[in-house]
């Protein structure tokens, strides 16, 4: 199983360099760098943050985990932005996409929340066609056909989008048991669609390590998950010790996960070192 680390993009410390973080993560052997998405929150915009990380690295994949795709109302411009990052990074971009469930993000962005599913489907049609055909809009992405797409969520439309456009599925950070319970439906949808091979399965988790880790993690997750169906599960699934990280990594690997991306909450550059140590590198 590949292991990635999230960039410090949630309530970011202006004194903590994404460049330094990305370089150290690559040096310590992480397979990917992740960046998550909100509008009504103090966080860096995902593609911008990953572009900074791309310039500081040469090997790691750059993954949006996840990007709220329907909020990108100009579909051709979104496709152009993603193709640009894919080209500039040498084909390292992976797009994890989902509609999201927080209405305030859509209300503030002037995007119709009830129509987000239809907007998502329209974006996918435009983007995949543009990446494949090019036409008058460039650049062409380095990855033939465009960046690999992963889809987040638990609904039938999620599975439909995955088997139509994607290479796999990305689970929310509600713990390994939740992940394990959803994998059979993902694999069955893949088989029912007649797709070859198997879907790529990506998990996500939250962590904080070192001094005051439990309190930092709890405060950060409580701020981030202010409401929603999976608020309690997400907070309780946070990992605040090396032993908890090691156990969760082993459990995800056993569940069939292909890649686990762990997102930091508080602390400084030492979090990269502490996470690498916790997974046994």
């Amino acid at each position: 199983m590949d292991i990635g680390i999230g960039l410090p993009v949630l309530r970011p410390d202006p004194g903590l360099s994404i460049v330094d973080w990305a370089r150290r993560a690559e040096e310590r052997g992480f397979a990917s760098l992740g960046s998550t998405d909100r509008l009504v929150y103090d966080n860096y915009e995902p593609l911008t943050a990953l572009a900074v990380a791309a310039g500081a690295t040469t090997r790691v994949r750059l993954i949006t985990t996840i990007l709220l795709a329907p909020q990108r109302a100009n579909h051709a411009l979104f496709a152009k932005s993603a193709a640009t990052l894919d080209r500039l990074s040498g084909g390292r971009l992976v797009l994890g996409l989902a509609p999201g469930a927080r209405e305030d993000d859509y209300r503030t962005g002037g995007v119709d929340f009830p129509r987000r599913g239809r907007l998502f489907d329209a974006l996918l049609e435009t983007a995949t066609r543009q990446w494949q055909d090019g036409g008058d809009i460039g650049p062409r992405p380095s990855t033939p056909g465009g960046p690999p797409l992963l889809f987040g969520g638990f609904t039938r439309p999620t599975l439909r989008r995955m088997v139509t456009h994607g290479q796999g599925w990305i689970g929310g950070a509600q713990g390994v048991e939740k992940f394990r319970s959803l994998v059979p439906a993902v694999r069955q949808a893949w088989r029912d669609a007649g797709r070859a091979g198997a879907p790529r399965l990506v998990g996500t988790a939250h962590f904080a390590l070192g001094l005051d880790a439990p309190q930092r993690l709890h405060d950060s997750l409580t701020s981030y998950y202010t409401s929603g169906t999976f608020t309690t599960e997400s907070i309780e699934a946070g990992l605040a010790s090396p032993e908890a990280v090691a156990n969760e990594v082993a459990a995800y690997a056993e569940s069939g996960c292909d890649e686990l991306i762990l997102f930091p909450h508080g602390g400084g550059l030492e979090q990269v070192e502490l996470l690498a140590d916790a997974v046994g590198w």
Side-chain angles (χ1 to χ4, degrees):
M1 182 180 71
D2 293 333
I3 299 176
I5 185 172
L7 293 170
V9 296
L10 298 174
R11 301 172 71 181
D13 178 354
L16 181 56
S17 166
I18 281 183
V19 168
D20 292 342
W21 183 285
R23 285 176 177 161
R24 192 61 187 136
E26 184 168 75
E27 290 168 358
R28 285 305 305 259
F30 289 100
S32 57
L33 295 166
S35 186
T36 194
D37 198 10
R38 285 289 306 278
L39 181 58
V40 186
Y41 196 74
D42 179 12
N43 64 290
Y44 291 142
E45 194 282 321
L47 293 179
T48 305
L50 290 175
V52 172
T57 56
T58 60
R59 175 189 57 79
V60 291
R61 289 188 299 277
L62 311 161
I63 306 182
T64 58
T65 50
I66 48 74
L67 187 77
L68 300 175
Q71 294 211 17
R72 275 63 185 181
N74 187 326
H75 299 166
L77 181 58
F78 163 76
K80 186 181 185 77
S81 297
T84 298
L85 180 51
D86 189 65
R87 172 75 72 84
L88 292 176
S89 67
R92 290 186 284 144
L93 179 63
V94 177
L95 290 172
L97 306 173
R102 293 179 174 91
E103 190 169 357
D104 57 345
D105 284 336
Y106 283 85
R107 183 172 56 250
T108 301
V111 180
D112 189 2
F113 182 72
R115 294 184 63 243
R116 67 194 188 282
R118 283 173 285 174
L119 293 170
F120 195 0
D121 290 334
L123 177 144
L124 289 169
E125 293 295 334
T126 296
T128 54
R129 183 173 60 251
Q130 188 168 313
W131 292 330
Q132 292 165 5
D133 299 337
D136 296 330
I137 302 176
R140 298 297 293 272
S142 288
T143 305
L149 303 181
L150 307 171
F151 290 89
F154 316 119
T155 64
R156 287 185 179 180
T158 294
L159 299 180
R160 171 178 54 79
R161 293 175 187 122
M162 179 191 72
V163 300
T164 303
H165 299 288
Q167 292 192 3
W169 173 77
I170 185 164
Q174 287 92 43
V176 68
E177 293 307 319
K178 184 73 173 182
F179 179 89
R180 194 193 314 272
S181 72
L182 295 169
V183 164
V186 173
R187 288 176 169 158
Q188 187 63 51
W190 193 265
R191 290 192 295 269
D192 290 346
R195 294 289 301 269
R200 184 166 181 82
L201 303 174
V202 178
T204 56
H206 300 294
F207 82 94
L209 296 170
L211 186 64
D212 298 327
Q215 190 64 52
R216 283 192 286 110
L217 184 62
H218 182 271
D219 290 349
S220 180
L221 289 176
T222 301
S223 170
Y224 186 69
Y225 291 105
T226 54
S227 62
T229 305
F230 301 105
T231 295
T232 301
E233 289 182 40
S234 298
I235 293 174
E236 291 179 350
L239 309 170
S241 71
E243 295 78 15
V245 168
N247 290 337
E248 196 79 345
V249 167
Y252 267 99
E254 187 274 332
S255 74
C257 184
D258 295 302
E259 182 166 9
L260 177 63
I261 303 170
L262 297 106
F263 276 88
H265 290 265
L269 190 59
E270 82 284 347
Q271 295 299 300
V272 178
E273 308 292 343
L274 292 172
L275 184 61
D277 292 343
V279 299
W281 294 344

